[in-house]
Amino acid sequence: YEATFCSYRTQLTESCPMHDQCRTSAAAEQQQVQAKVKVAEASRKVQYIAATHIECYLDVLTARPEQQLALLKTCPSLQVSTSQLSVTYHEVPQGAACDVSSVALRPCQEPWLQARYKG
């Protein structure tokens, strides 16, 4: 029992720092990816607005002559929604603390012996 407990304690206490390091690294990567996505999102929105305006001007060119002037006047003030291109950015979730309190007492320590054998 004591050997198994010590093995478990070693694995747990060594795993906690690795978990924290991995989580920190993943959070930093998430922030980097989000920064790149925000730039791409803004670019796509500008491109979408430009393409919508181009479509408007193409409609002017293909319209009947008597409709062209009226259509042309609408193109500069065309309101283009880009909400469908918006990306939701999530915060890094709160991490769970690595709890090693269950292995704070260990074999051969007097408090452990008291709790396991004499209590």
Side-chain angles (χ1 to χ4, degrees), residues 41-105:
E41 176 186 8
S43 176
R44 296 298 178 269
K45 287 180 178 182
V46 169
Q47 291 171 0
Y48 182 76
I49 292 168
T52 303
H53 281 275
I54 290 169
E55 285 179 339
C56 183
Y57 288 113
L58 289 174
D59 288 343
V60 171
L61 294 175
T62 59
R64 292 188 307 208
E66 61 274 8
Q67 296 174 325
Q68 287 180 332
L69 183 58
L71 286 173
L72 180 62
K73 289 179 181 180
T74 66
C75 292
S77 61
L78 189 63
Q79 295 297 313
V80 181
S81 173
T82 59
S83 61
Q84 72 277 16
L85 301 174
S86 295
V87 176
T88 301
Y89 299 93
H90 299 283
E91 295 295 321
V92 175
Q94 187 70 21
C98 197
D99 184 11
V100 293
S101 63
S102 63
V103 295
L105 298 178

Side-chain angles (χ1 to χ4, degrees), residues 29-41:
E29 184 177 353
Q30 178 183 352
Q31 290 176 345
Q32 291 173 353
V33 168
Q34 284 184 354
K36 290 177 183 177
V37 171
K38 286 178 182 179
V39 170
E41 176 186 8

